[in-house]
Amino acid sequence: MKLTGAQILMEVLKEEGVDTIFGFPGGVVIDIYDELAKTDIRHILVRHEQGAVHAADGYARASGRVGVCLVTSGPGATNTVTGIATAYMDSIPIVIFTGQVPTQLIGNDAFQEVDIVGITRPCTKHNYLVKRTEDLARIVKEAFIIAGSGRPGPVLIDLPKDVSNTKIIYKAPKKIELKAYNPTYNPNMKQLHRAVKLIKNAKKPIIFAGGGVVLSKGSKELTELAHKTRTPVTCSLMGLGVFPGTDPLWLGMIGMHGTYRANMCSGECDLIVAVGVRFDDRVTGKTDTFAPNAKIVHIDIDPTSIRKNIPVAVPIVGDCKITLGLLNRLLDKEDLGDLKTKRKKWLDQIDQWKSTKPLAYKQEDIIKPQYVIEKLYELTKGSAIITTEVGQNQMWAAQYYHFKKPNHFITSGGLGCMGFGLPAAIGAQLACPDKLVVDIAGDGSIQMNIQEMATAEQYNLPVKIVILNNQYLGMVRQWQELFYDKRYSGTGMEHAPDFVKLAEAYGALGLRATKPEEVEPVLRKGLSSPKTVIMDFVVEREECVYPMVPAGAPITEMLLA
Amino acid sequence: MTEQKHILSILVDNQPGVLSRIAGLFSGRGYNIESLSVAETIDPLVSRITMVTMADTPVVEQIMKQLHKLINVIKVYELTGSSYVQREMALIKVQARPERRAEILRIVDIFRCKVVDVGQGHYTLEVTGDEGKMDAILNLLKPIGIKEIAKTGIIALFREPK
């Protein structure tokens, strides 16, 4: 059968089960778009290519599947870079197709030519320039394998125009073999036995879980481990939801804006069972003083995560779900009867930290942003998919929305990418049409990809946007207040659009609350609307996120409200 | 911890862009490259990169893991600390005034190198050996006058058990 490259691409995408592509067309991908229209694959036309990648990312995080996007060469390709870096830092499986000028023009500075493979080399898990139509099917298959397996990540495929429109006799590729790519899923049992011993003998252990548990779908096994061994659990930002935020063993998030008790635990504990984390600087604070009394068991599928930032007593390379499952089976054979009494003192200590220094704020005359999130949590019963932008809005969402399940908190953790929340919410809504999807935003970051309102409208996506509007770039302002004598250089944002009118201009519903008593009615009205909704909450301008660990300080030295 | 010299032998897919991935990994993560040599192996689909880097133990462990993570990297070996043979090669263009010619040829003889080009005022020498030999011959030739030098990075292989 003779097929063009574009037709072959569609064949392979169908085989891979792709149902949605986020994209933006251009000159060198017209052939692909022409074929795309003949398939059942749904194309979501974004308003900016960065939005396409974030949407594919949100789709992947909400569904656990590989997200796909398609853009043109040159500026189309460069606009994807921020989105790709975001997905790379958070290990999110997406495949990005970029158009490229015809092979014979590559290197000639042709119109809309850019070396996107060179540009994205350090922020993709892998990338390809397809030089012959004959290689296309194999490369696309490889890309899906690489993106979705091991430690997932974005894979980019650059498609020159002649590769897409050349006709060849197509034979579906046989089994794909990547001889040098072989992620370790099954852990070393000897190390696992050492971990069991440490867990049994620990007096003051904690479990520290991260995004790796979400990606491996290991939430059930993690919860079982915690309950079986009476071990309290904290999460990194990326891990929120893998352990129920309502469980008595829940410590809250750890790190720069972690809870008092979680951070104190890291200082006092004698064992950390770290699962699917990479000990980022926002978690450890000053590394030499992090967990000074603890032995660390570190489970991760990526060997480079282990011993990169901190020393580890028991390194275990393996898939989090598989490893936790095996760990639970080994623990079943042990007598754990006395753990309940053995851990009582430790758990009492934690309760005392919790009751003396809880997360707190005072709701007075002006709306407090924390109050908005608490109300949102109440009204959605903690079951909405929450996406966030980056900054204070993100931290308050992490602190005050008590996630019960994984894949429900979608946030740019590693890169800290403003403008992520709205397009990610669009992707999440498409992946989960029956779920309530809420983007918690600040007035600053929402403006970074506000154009995607039109995308939400075009596809009737009932995404809800909660803007915590303080007319500041709040997190930077907070640092300036605390560490720069309140010199608010470059952080005032008094000139934002009227978000209610803006919503209406896009054809969405716009609502505003300026007083505390308006918060609940606005949320009720907005959340129950079948439309895309912007809810603008005019909040206390100079509210800070607490606790806060100053950058580079030990994590147990927190500024409290 | 102290930095030490490590020789890494890396088997990679023989494809365009692979060297750039490795060089990019080193520059992006702040590792250093002392020397580098690349060529196809007996299998035309595979190239061997021999690389010398200065690093302390945790960093070299991280370097090896990071290299291994690259999809096009097939195998990474560290040679330092085991039994291996290593060679570099240099082409040295040395000033050869009539009164020094005999001396240069004596050095060539002692170091078992070759004269590969000769002219009115110069000899070009081909030298192979390990680092010690290279340093020694360069020290001897410097006073005579080195006009130009081209040197490869280290190449190395494990010794097989006897």
Side-chain angles (χ1 to χ4, degrees):
Chain A
M1 186 174 36
K2 269 200 139 182
L3 295 180
T4 65
Q7 288 166 334
I8 292 170
L9 178 61
M10 293 308 133
E11 286 302 311
V12 182
L13 291 179
K14 278 186 266 175
E15 272 175 47
E16 291 295 326
V18 174
D19 61 5
T20 308
I21 291 182
F22 302 88
F24 200 103
V28 296
V29 288
I30 297 180
D31 294 295
I32 299 172
Y33 267 88
D34 196 43
E35 290 304 326
L36 181 59
K38 297 174 195 163
T39 68
D40 295 334
I41 299 172
R42 167 173 63 170
H43 177 259
I44 304 297
L45 175 65
V46 294
R47 297 300 184 269
H48 185 292
E49 290 88 348
Q50 185 188 345
V53 189
H54 288 327
D57 179 324
Y59 176 93
R61 293 191 208 217
S63 67
R65 299 171 56 200
V66 179
V68 181
C69 40
L70 167 63
V71 302
T72 192
S73 64
T78 54
N79 276 346
T80 63
V81 173
T82 304
I84 294 173
T86 304
Y88 183 66
M89 288 290 270
D90 290 345
S91 312
I92 305 304
I94 50 178
V95 174
I96 307 99
F97 294 97
T98 53
Q100 181 57 280
V101 300
T103 43
Q104 72 274 14
L105 285 184
I106 290 179
N108 286 5
D109 300 324
F111 177 66
Q112 293 194 327
E113 181 189 354
V114 76
D115 173 16
I116 195 63
V117 169
I119 289 172
T120 58
R121 215 169 263 144
C123 62
T124 49
K125 184 171 173 186
H126 196 52
N127 60 18
Y128 296 91
L129 167 64
V130 186
K131 288 188 176 155
R132 304 180 321 145
T133 310
E134 286 77 4
D135 298 333
L136 179 62
R138 174 186 55 83
I139 286 176
V140 176
K141 290 234 161 215
E142 283 183 12
F144 274 86
I145 293 172
I146 292 169
S149 60
R151 179 178 176 176
V155 179
L156 181 141
I157 301 178
D158 204 18
L159 295 168
K161 187 173 170 80
D162 55 323
V163 169
S164 312
N165 64 21
T166 300
K167 249 189 183 167
I168 60 159
I169 295 168
Y170 174 63
K171 272 196 294 192
K174 289 189 215 103
K175 198 167 169 280
I176 302 293
E177 262 185 77
L178 286 152
K179 64 177 169 216
Y181 177 75
N182 203 358
T184 307
Y185 283 86
N186 294 313
N188 178 319
M189 290 308 284
K190 210 175 98 201
Q191 300 287 35
L192 226 47
H193 280 286
R194 288 179 62 205
V196 167
K197 210 176 218 173
L198 287 178
I199 292 169
K200 258 190 80 180
N201 294 332
K203 290 197 180 68
K204 298 190 277 185
I206 60 168
I207 293 171
F208 167 34
V213 183
V214 181
L215 293 164
S216 73
K217 303 181 172 71
S219 168
K220 203 176 113 241
E221 288 78 2
L222 183 98
T223 309
E224 187 188 336
L225 174 68
H227 286 160
K228 196 192 293 294
T229 59
R230 301 279 302 150
T231 307
V233 180
T234 183
C235 279
S236 65
L237 183 73
M238 294 304 299
L240 292 177
V242 298
F243 188 75
T246 45
D247 194 287
L249 288 170
W250 174 238
L251 293 170
M253 182 172 71
I254 194 171
M256 183 175 268
H257 295 293
T259 62
Y260 182 78
R261 62 187 191 280
N263 288 354
M264 290 308 286
C265 274
S266 76
E268 291 284 317
C269 66
D270 61 359
L271 174 70
I272 298 181
V273 180
V275 197
V277 294
R278 57 190 178 89
F279 291 97
D280 173 84
D281 56 279
R282 285 297 193 262
V283 161
T284 60
K286 193 172 177 215
T287 44
D288 335 343
T289 57
F290 179 73
N293 309 310
K295 289 206 167 80
I296 295 176
V297 173
H298 193 173
I299 302 168
D300 201 279
I301 197 157
D302 179 2
T304 68
S305 289
I306 297 175
R307 290 188 173 140
K308 182 170 67 180
N309 299 330
I310 51 144
V312 167
V314 183
I316 304 177
V317 177
D319 173 79
C320 293
K321 182 188 173 77
I322 294 173
T323 307
L324 287 169
L326 289 167
L327 194 58
N328 285 333
R329 297 295 75 77
L330 289 182
L331 283 160
D332 284 341
K333 293 182 200 149
E334 303 281 329
D335 176 18
L336 303 173
D338 61 337
L339 279 187
K340 204 161 190 176
T341 43
K342 216 163 151 186
R343 299 276 156 87
K344 188 171 181 307
K345 217 170 132 198
W346 176 229
L347 294 174
D348 285 349
Q349 163 78 73
I350 291 166
D351 279 342
Q352 197 224 330
W353 283 327
K354 185 179 178 179
S355 54
T356 51
K357 304 266 171 52
L359 284 174
Y361 64 93
K362 246 200 213 131
Q363 180 54 65
E364 288 159 338
D365 301 341
I366 303 170
I367 301 172
K368 287 289 173 96
Q370 300 94 322
Y371 177 69
V372 178
I373 310 288
E374 278 205 320
K375 278 285 154 202
L376 176 69
Y377 171 69
E378 247 176 69
L379 293 175
T380 56
K381 301 185 180 67
S383 62
I385 294 180
I386 302 291
T387 72
T388 75
E389 305 293 335
V390 166
Q392 290 184 316
N393 60 79
Q394 180 186 31
M395 290 302 120
W396 283 317
Q399 291 179 332
Y400 288 92
Y401 201 95
H402 310 293
F403 296 91
K404 290 187 222 157
K405 285 190 208 148
N407 305 92
H408 280 61
F409 184 50
I410 296 178
T411 195
S412 169
L415 195 70
C417 178
M418 289 170 72
F420 173 78
L422 175 54
I426 287 172
Q429 187 76 77
L430 283 157
C432 307
D434 301 328
K435 281 261 184 184
L436 176 64
V437 180
V438 183
D439 172 26
I440 295 176
D443 52 305
S445 45
I446 191 65
Q447 293 184 69
M448 276 209 185
N449 273 320
I450 190 80
Q451 77 285 347
E452 301 306 332
M453 281 297 291
T455 309
E457 279 304 311
Q458 180 168 347
Y459 300 97
N460 296 315
L461 301 174
V463 168
K464 311 290 181 255
I465 300 148
V466 167
I467 301 179
L468 304 173
N469 190 343
N470 56 12
Q471 298 184 306
Y472 274 121
L473 297 172
M475 187 56 95
V476 179
R477 187 212 59 77
Q478 172 169 344
W479 284 50
Q480 289 170 332
E481 174 186 331
L482 298 173
F483 313 118
Y484 293 85
D485 288 330
K486 294 200 174 188
R487 291 187 298 276
Y488 294 164
S489 172
T491 41
M493 256 215 175
E494 289 82 2
H495 287 277
D498 178 331
F499 289 111
V500 172
K501 283 188 187 153
L502 187 72
E504 286 161 2
Y506 277 114
L509 175 63
L511 301 167
R512 177 174 293 125
T514 54
K515 295 195 229 46
E517 59 271 23
E518 292 168 358
V519 170
E520 189 172 330
V522 162
L523 279 171
R524 277 186 189 283
K525 190 169 174 202
L527 295 174
S528 60
S529 165
K531 299 180 76 165
T532 313
V533 184
I534 292 183
M535 289 165 266
D536 184 22
F537 296 90
V538 180
V539 298
E540 176 74 56
R541 291 198 72 197
E542 302 203 5
E543 186 69 13
C544 288
V545 180
Y546 290 114
M548 175 171 194
V549 180
I555 194 182
T556 45
E557 291 176 16
M558 288 162 268
L559 306 175
L560 299 167
Chain B
M1 282 207 214
T2 47
E3 290 198 343
Q4 276 184 324
K5 186 173 265 189
H6 297 268
I7 303 175
L8 303 178
S9 185
I10 310 158
L11 292 174
V12 300
D13 290 330
N14 185 11
Q15 281 173 16
V18 175
L19 183 60
S20 157
R21 286 180 204 279
I22 289 173
L25 170 68
F26 274 69
S27 65
R29 293 189 180 268
Y31 308 141
N32 87 339
I33 300 176
E34 294 257 301
S35 82
L36 181 74
S37 71
V38 195
E40 203 175 282
T41 61
I42 196 135
D43 177 353
L45 297 175
V46 176
S47 289
R48 182 187 298 276
I49 297 178
T50 311
M51 185 186 268
V52 180
T53 180
M54 292 289 289
D56 58 27
T57 315
V59 172
V60 84
E61 183 187 320
Q62 188 60 215
I63 289 176
M64 291 180 65
K65 287 178 182 175
Q66 292 284 359
L67 282 169
H68 202 77
K69 207 166 135 178
L70 297 174
I71 308 290
N72 295 122
V73 169
I74 302 161
K75 273 238 150 86
V76 186
Y77 305 98
E78 187 183 357
L79 294 157
T80 326
S82 52
S83 181
Y84 62 95
V85 278
Q86 69 165 72
R87 289 290 179 272
E88 332 178 14
M89 180 172 140
L91 293 173
I92 306 168
K93 199 181 283 173
V94 62
Q95 272 175 354
R97 280 186 290 275
E99 67 275 18
R100 314 291 304 250
R101 291 200 169 218
E103 185 187 351
I104 294 168
L105 289 176
R106 236 184 348 262
I107 294 171
V108 166
D109 202 29
I110 293 165
F111 282 86
R112 278 181 280 167
C113 37
K114 272 191 266 177
V115 178
V116 289
D117 183 41
V118 104
Q120 292 281 340
H122 80 280
Y123 281 134
T124 300
L125 314 183
E126 176 200 307
V127 194
T128 55
D130 60 13
E131 278 180 291
K133 180 174 169 184
M134 287 293 168
D135 289 347
I137 191 167
L138 286 174
N139 276 333
L140 286 171
L141 292 174
K142 256 184 218 156
I144 300 170
I146 294 174
K147 292 172 90 159
E148 268 187 299
I149 180 162
K151 232 173 118 214
T152 66
I154 288 176
I155 52 167
L157 283 177
F158 282 117
R159 284 184 195 276
E160 290 291 318
K162 291 267 151 51

